Amino acid sequence: MSIIIKTKEQIEILREGGRHLSEVLHKVKDIIKPGISTYELDKYAEKLIREYGDEPAFLNYKPEGAKVSFPASLCVSVNEEVVHGIPKKDKILKEGDIVSIDLGLKHKGLFTDMAMTVAVGNISEQIKKLLAITEQALQVGIHNAVVGNRVGDIGFAIENFVHSKHLQKENYGIVEVLSGHGVGVAIHEDPYIPNFGKANTGEKIKAGMVVAIEPMLNMGTKNVTLDKDGYTFHTADRKHSAHFEHTILITEDGPEILTQN
Ligand code: MG
């Protein structure tokens, strides 16, 4: 597969879909509180998507190499879970948890992808900082998703930021085995967009590309392990992890975040 440059018509549909997705995910965020199950979050997300006449992109999606398809609309990953957590009726959020909610939406045949990590009630200052820095890392990545740069410049900028001097003592691990990606015609398209790397490497960034940028930062080691369920990634040392993602359109005038209102 090669990189798909989107047409004007496709871009308009992706803008609409991105707005829907952002509204849905923020509404899901708003009901997060101690006592709610990850299953309830999933059902609410699916209901809101269908109210728009759209479709959940992850439900029944079968990534290459997977034995079974993903059984839910929303990926819900709690604390040491990094991404792709499967919602469960008996997984109840409690005060002090953090929860990553990751959602894909199909609008008029085209896909957008978005994620954020949310505090459940009060969380420690240390974890608050992890969330803030991960969100900032996403912004750094977005700022570097510009015409004239290459894909490697995005990861290079993220890595430079996360490992910059003022964050030295945090020593966050940047997850390397999972990455951002092209999106739009399919939920995962070329190119891969790692959250680390070398400047001036990889594909040239061109206007009309649509990409999902999604840094995942860990309190400890960058290493992750895959759960027996075949989907959920945990940090190898079971320390907390955070994840933020936007779908971005590259324009001649700079990056445009599609997944915001
Ligand atoms: Mg994604």
Coordinates of all heavy atoms in Angstrom, one line a residue, residues 58 84 102 113-115 179-181 183 187-188 212-214 243 245, ligand 1:
F58 N -13.8 0.4 14.9 CA -13.1 -0.7 15.5 C -13.9 -2.0 15.7 O -13.4 -3.1 15.9 CB -12.5 -0.3 16.9 CG -11.5 0.9 16.8 CD1 -11.3 1.7 17.9 CD2 -10.9 1.2 15.6 CE1 -10.4 2.7 17.9 CE2 -10.0 2.3 15.6 CZ -9.7 3.0 16.7
H84 N -5.6 -0.5 23.3 CA -6.4 -1.7 22.8 C -7.0 -2.5 23.9 O -7.3 -3.7 23.7 CB -5.6 -2.6 21.8 CG -4.9 -1.8 20.7 ND1 -3.9 -2.3 19.9 CD2 -5.2 -0.6 20.2 CE1 -3.5 -1.4 19.0 NE2 -4.3 -0.3 19.2
D102 N -10.0 5.4 23.1 CA -9.5 5.4 21.8 C -10.7 5.0 20.8 O -11.2 3.9 21.1 CB -8.3 4.5 21.6 CG -7.6 4.6 20.3 OD1 -8.1 5.3 19.4 OD2 -6.5 4.0 20.1
D113 N -9.7 8.9 13.5 CA -9.3 8.2 14.7 C -8.8 9.2 15.8 O -8.1 10.2 15.4 CB -8.1 7.3 14.2 CG -7.6 6.2 15.2 OD1 -8.2 6.1 16.2 OD2 -6.7 5.5 14.8
M114 N -9.2 8.9 17.0 CA -8.9 9.9 18.1 C -8.8 9.2 19.4 O -9.5 8.2 19.7 CB -10.0 10.9 18.1 CG -9.8 12.0 19.2 SD -11.2 13.1 19.2 CE -10.7 14.3 20.4
A115 N -7.9 9.7 20.3 CA -7.8 9.1 21.6 C -7.4 10.2 22.6 O -6.8 11.2 22.3 CB -6.7 8.0 21.7
S179 N 2.6 2.7 16.8 CA 2.8 4.0 16.1 C 1.6 4.6 15.5 O 0.6 4.0 15.4 CB 3.9 3.8 15.0 OG 3.3 3.1 14.0
G180 N 1.7 5.9 15.1 CA 0.7 6.5 14.4 C 0.7 6.0 12.9 O 1.5 5.1 12.6
H181 N -0.2 6.5 12.1 CA -0.5 5.9 10.8 C -1.3 6.8 9.9 O -2.0 7.7 10.4 CB -1.2 4.6 11.0 CG -2.5 4.7 11.9 ND1 -3.7 5.1 11.4 CD2 -2.6 4.7 13.3 CE1 -4.6 5.2 12.4 NE2 -3.9 5.0 13.6
V183 N -4.5 7.5 7.6 CA -5.9 7.1 7.9 C -6.8 7.8 6.9 O -6.4 8.8 6.3 CB -6.3 7.5 9.4 CG1 -6.2 9.0 9.6 CG2 -7.7 7.0 9.8
I187 N -8.8 2.4 8.1 CA -8.5 2.9 9.5 C -7.0 2.9 9.7 O -6.5 3.7 10.4 CB -9.3 2.0 10.5 CG1 -9.1 2.7 11.9 CG2 -8.9 0.6 10.6 CD1 -9.9 3.9 12.1
H188 N -6.3 2.0 9.0 CA -4.8 2.1 9.1 C -4.3 2.1 7.6 O -4.4 1.1 6.9 CB -4.2 0.9 9.8 CG -4.6 0.9 11.3 ND1 -5.4 0.0 11.9 CD2 -4.3 1.8 12.2 CE1 -5.5 0.3 13.2 NE2 -4.9 1.4 13.4
A212 N -2.9 9.9 11.5 CA -3.2 9.9 12.9 C -1.9 9.9 13.7 O -1.0 9.0 13.4 CB -4.0 8.6 13.3
I213 N -1.7 10.9 14.5 CA -0.5 10.9 15.3 C -0.9 10.6 16.7 O -1.9 11.1 17.3 CB 0.1 12.4 15.3 CG1 0.5 12.7 13.8 CG2 1.4 12.5 16.1 CD1 1.0 14.1 13.6
E214 N -0.1 9.7 17.4 CA -0.6 9.1 18.7 C 0.6 8.7 19.6 O 0.8 7.5 19.7 CB -1.6 8.0 18.5 CG -1.2 6.9 17.5 CD -2.3 5.8 17.4 OE1 -2.9 5.5 18.4 OE2 -2.5 5.3 16.3
H243 N -1.9 8.1 26.6 CA -2.0 8.1 25.1 C -3.0 9.2 24.6 O -4.1 9.3 25.1 CB -2.6 6.7 24.8 CG -3.0 6.5 23.3 ND1 -4.1 5.7 23.0 CD2 -2.4 6.8 22.2 CE1 -4.1 5.6 21.7 NE2 -3.1 6.3 21.2
E245 N -4.3 11.1 20.8 CA -4.3 11.0 19.4 C -5.2 12.0 18.7 O -6.3 12.2 19.2 CB -4.7 9.5 19.0 CG -4.8 9.3 17.5 CD -5.2 7.8 17.2 OE1 -5.9 7.2 18.1 OE2 -4.9 7.4 16.1
Ligands
MG1 MG -4.8 5.2 15.7

